[in-house]
Amino acid sequence: MADVGATGAEIRATRIEKAKTLQVQGMTPYAYRWERTHTAAVLQEKYAHLAAGEAVGDRVSVAGRIMARRIFGKLAFFTLQDDSGTIQLYLDKQTITQGMGEAAFADLKHLTDVGDILGAVGTLKRTEKGELSVVVESYTMLTKSLLPLPDKWHGLTDVEKRYRQRYVDLIVNPQVRDTFRKRALITAAIRRYLNEQGFIEVETPVLQTEAGGAEARPFITYHNTLEMQLYLRIATELHLKRLVVGGFEKVYELGRIFRNEGISTKHNPEFTSIEVYQAYADYHDMMALTEAIITTAAKEVLGTLKIPYQGQTIDLTPPWRRVTMYDAVAEVTGIDFRQLGDLTAAKQAAQKVGVKDLDACDTIGRVLNEVFEQTVEPTLIQPTFVLDYPVEISPLAKAHRSQPGLVERFELFIVGREHANSFSELTDPLDQRQRLEEQARRKAAGDLEAHGVDEDFLTALEYGMPPTGGLGIGIDRLVMLLTDSPSIRDVIAFPLLRPEGTTGQL
RNA sequence: GGGUCGCUAGCUCAGCGGUAGAGCACUCGGCUUUUAACCGAUUGGUCUUGGGUUCGAAUCCCAGGCGACCCA
């Protein structure tokens, strides 16, 4: 082989040469299939009893990516990684020569690289150093890798590269694979629980003529044939309620929603939520349901309700603390908003406790919410339901049955972050119309997070929606909590990043 | 939007005004019990981009790009 250097381009060229050599020898570097008898984990489990130095004649077939090569003169050890774990290949020249011919051992040394995907057939033994190994009789190149993997010891740590090339991150960082496996377990557990309770999973439109169901800026797109602007959904709420009107009494949708807002450790422009609607239920029922869903998920992935998160221990054992927004704010700041007469007094009280950005608050309720977000939220580490929100920030929630100016709504906070939001849903179509028209006025006045009136939704309500409890849970944040991940980008496989090499626009 | 930090070999990092380095990976040679194998020899660079200062810039200054964290 030619004397080659070691830049990325040269490494790649060398490996392309190796692939061609394989082809010349009648082996495709890109195989069609492989008959595998065992995964690595199954072998480790099944032959756990083998003592060091002990061998058995059982013939097995494995496949996976070469993660490490340790080559001696006439003996080599490869670490093979598959979806389940790793298994060592014990490759001695004599056995391979018997199985495949004279050149096979030299080819193994010169034509395989870390990163290649290999199939191997052989028998089992535990080496004298105690490593379960497949004593390889024959091997097959299944996929020749052209690009070198990151440093075998330090791995890939550059966060930008980890996000941009998640496939590399997944190959070399086992804990990343583990996080995404847990994510799948969580969504599966939630679906299983809800299905068992008689809920049905439905799918509602992502492309909508009017964004609604939340206060957020939408993404805008365009349908060519209809020649119309469309929005990507910011919530699934308004369509799920239409289904409740239609007679489905227990529905949920677990899916992607899109909000055209900033990016942070807690926000990605597209993220996953679950919304659940149950007829004849109110927000108290939804609290119990929230506890059930989240504890089911926690038990599924962690097997316990006392979970570690960034150095703290969170106790998810229900029932969780319930506190009204008024009481929570009073506890932390000493301000009793029930005693405040007007907006000016409310703003003064808020400023006195260090709350900022009150300019946009035009009602006492909005001041209350601002004070809550700035002073109370960060203190809610253990799971806490905060109840009874101001009506003006809750346009889809039913008026509180006994507290004027408030609605029957709760949000769930854990580790200082909102994890769920729920109402006794507003079913009065005339009240709903007024609330949406107020939102539309805000939109007209320039509020980019407000939306127009969804007339068809109001029409649906006018046909009559049963009393209904609704609940939304942020799946990404729940996965963060249950996988001890500090950033939402750790639980979204392909988080949105600005493309590399874009030249300055604006 | 503001602040701080980062960007040097495929990966992980040093170098901070005077000839661009190390470890791992790669290539070659040796080696039948390794698991960050080992030993020896090579090879590998638009130092994020563009300007500027300087006899001389990876290093200092200005502007841009991308990212991380904190604040709003």
Side-chain angles (χ1 to χ4, degrees), chain A residues 360-483:
Chain A
C361 297
D362 52 7
T363 68
I364 296 179
R366 286 183 190 272
V367 176
L368 170 64
N369 187 54
E370 203 61 44
V371 172
F372 172 78
E373 286 185 0
Q374 290 185 38
T375 66
V376 181
E377 270 192 27
T379 71
L380 301 177
I381 305 303
Q382 298 298 329
T384 305
F385 291 116
V386 174
L387 280 61
D388 302 341
Y389 280 59
V391 62
E392 53 269 44
I393 59 166
S394 315
L396 299 163
K398 187 172 275 179
H400 196 283
R401 62 194 82 179
S402 61
Q403 302 280 324
L406 301 183
V407 294
E408 295 199 352
R409 172 183 182 182
F410 73 79
E411 289 187 317
L412 169 66
F413 292 88
I414 311 174
V415 297
R417 291 201 283 261
E418 180 195 341
H419 278 72
N421 182 25
S422 165
F423 323 133
S424 295
E425 299 295 342
L426 179 52
T427 51
D428 176 341
L430 302 182
D431 189 357
Q432 184 68 85
R433 173 172 291 281
Q434 282 187 353
R435 307 257 204 110
L436 293 184
E437 284 175 350
E438 169 57 24
Q439 295 299 306
R441 275 192 289 278
R442 287 187 163 271
K443 181 185 185 184
D447 186 342
L448 295 167
E449 297 188 349
H451 306 289
V453 176
D454 184 336
E455 285 293 343
D456 181 70
F457 170 63
L458 288 173
T459 299
L461 284 193
E462 294 202 1
Y463 278 97
M465 182 164 88
T468 297
L471 165 67
I473 298 174
I475 295 295
D476 308 280
R477 288 182 185 179
L478 180 60
V479 176
M480 286 168 67
L481 180 71
L482 297 181
T483 58

Side-chain angles (χ1 to χ4, degrees), chain A residues 18-54:
Chain A
K18 291 178 180 179
K20 283 182 183 159
T21 304
L22 284 166
Q23 220 142 21
V24 167
Q25 298 181 356
M27 289 178 279
T28 171
Y30 301 101
Y32 288 90
R33 80 183 294 275
W34 179 254
E35 192 68 38
R36 176 165 65 173
T37 62
H38 298 77
T39 64
V42 167
L43 285 179
Q44 299 285 4
E45 164 89 30
K46 187 173 174 188
Y47 293 95
H49 63 277
L50 277 188
E54 196 179 346

Side-chain angles (χ1 to χ4, degrees), chain A residues 207-412:
Chain A
L207 296 176
Q208 306 184 342
T209 53
E210 186 71 65
E215 288 193 3
R217 295 181 66 174
F219 284 92
I220 301 171
T221 187
Y222 186 78
H223 190 281
N224 292 332
T225 310
L226 294 179
E227 296 183 322
M228 67 185 294
Q229 179 175 286
L230 291 168
Y231 299 98
L232 271 58
R233 66 183 178 191
I234 58 172
T236 47
E237 175 147 1
L238 302 186
H239 285 88
L240 291 173
K241 284 180 176 172
R242 285 168 166 89
L243 293 174
V244 176
V245 169
F248 291 112
E249 295 174 355
K250 288 179 151 186
V251 295
Y252 71 95
E253 177 163 14
L254 196 163
R256 204 74 55 84
I257 59 182
F258 307 85
R259 296 186 180 176
N260 202 340
E261 295 173 342
I263 297 176
S264 77
T265 46
K266 296 169 212 74
H267 300 87
N268 194 60
E270 55 177 309
F271 61 102
T272 301
S273 79
I274 182 168
E275 287 191 32
V276 188
Y277 291 84
Q278 179 177 348
Y280 311 111
D282 66 8
Y283 74 145
H284 294 291
D285 299 305
M286 292 298 105
M287 280 182 240
L289 182 62
T290 305
E291 288 171 339
I293 289 171
I294 292 180
T295 56
T296 297
K299 282 184 220 157
E300 178 76 27
V301 292
L302 292 160
T304 172
L305 296 180
K306 293 194 170 55
I307 63 169
Y309 189 77
Q310 302 295 299
Q312 309 166 95
T313 299
I314 306 303
D315 187 354
L316 295 176
T317 308
W320 300 336
R321 183 181 173 221
R322 285 141 166 87
V323 61
T324 66
M325 186 182 260
Y326 277 146
D327 288 343
V329 168
E331 268 176 33
V332 172
T333 67
I335 304 172
D336 186 349
F337 269 79
R338 279 162 289 211
Q339 306 298 320
L340 294 173
D342 60 24
L343 181 61
T344 312
K347 284 196 178 183
Q348 279 173 355
Q351 272 160 355
K352 208 173 286 181
V353 295
V355 174
K356 298 174 203 135
D357 301 317
L358 293 162
D359 295 348
C361 297
D362 52 7
T363 68
I364 296 179
R366 286 183 190 272
V367 176
L368 170 64
N369 187 54
E370 203 61 44
V371 172
F372 172 78
E373 286 185 0
Q374 290 185 38
T375 66
V376 181
E377 270 192 27
T379 71
L380 301 177
I381 305 303
Q382 298 298 329
T384 305
F385 291 116
V386 174
L387 280 61
D388 302 341
Y389 280 59
V391 62
E392 53 269 44
I393 59 166
S394 315
L396 299 163
K398 187 172 275 179
H400 196 283
R401 62 194 82 179
S402 61
Q403 302 280 324
L406 301 183
V407 294
E408 295 199 352
R409 172 183 182 182
F410 73 79
E411 289 187 317
L412 169 66

Side-chain angles (χ1 to χ4, degrees), chain A residues 93-141:
Chain A
K93 187 176 182 183
Q94 197 184 343
T95 309
I96 287 176
T97 303
Q98 278 172 10
M100 300 175 69
E102 197 56 46
F105 191 77
D107 286 349
L108 189 76
K109 286 202 276 190
H110 294 289
L111 300 181
T112 70
D113 288 289
V114 168
D116 290 350
I117 296 171
L118 206 67
V121 174
T123 57
L124 282 156
K125 94 169 193 181
R126 189 173 296 281
T127 64
E128 276 139 46
K129 294 288 163 59
E131 188 74 33
L132 183 67
S133 309
V134 175
V135 180
V136 176
E137 295 166 351
S138 67
Y139 66 88
T140 301
M141 178 67 72

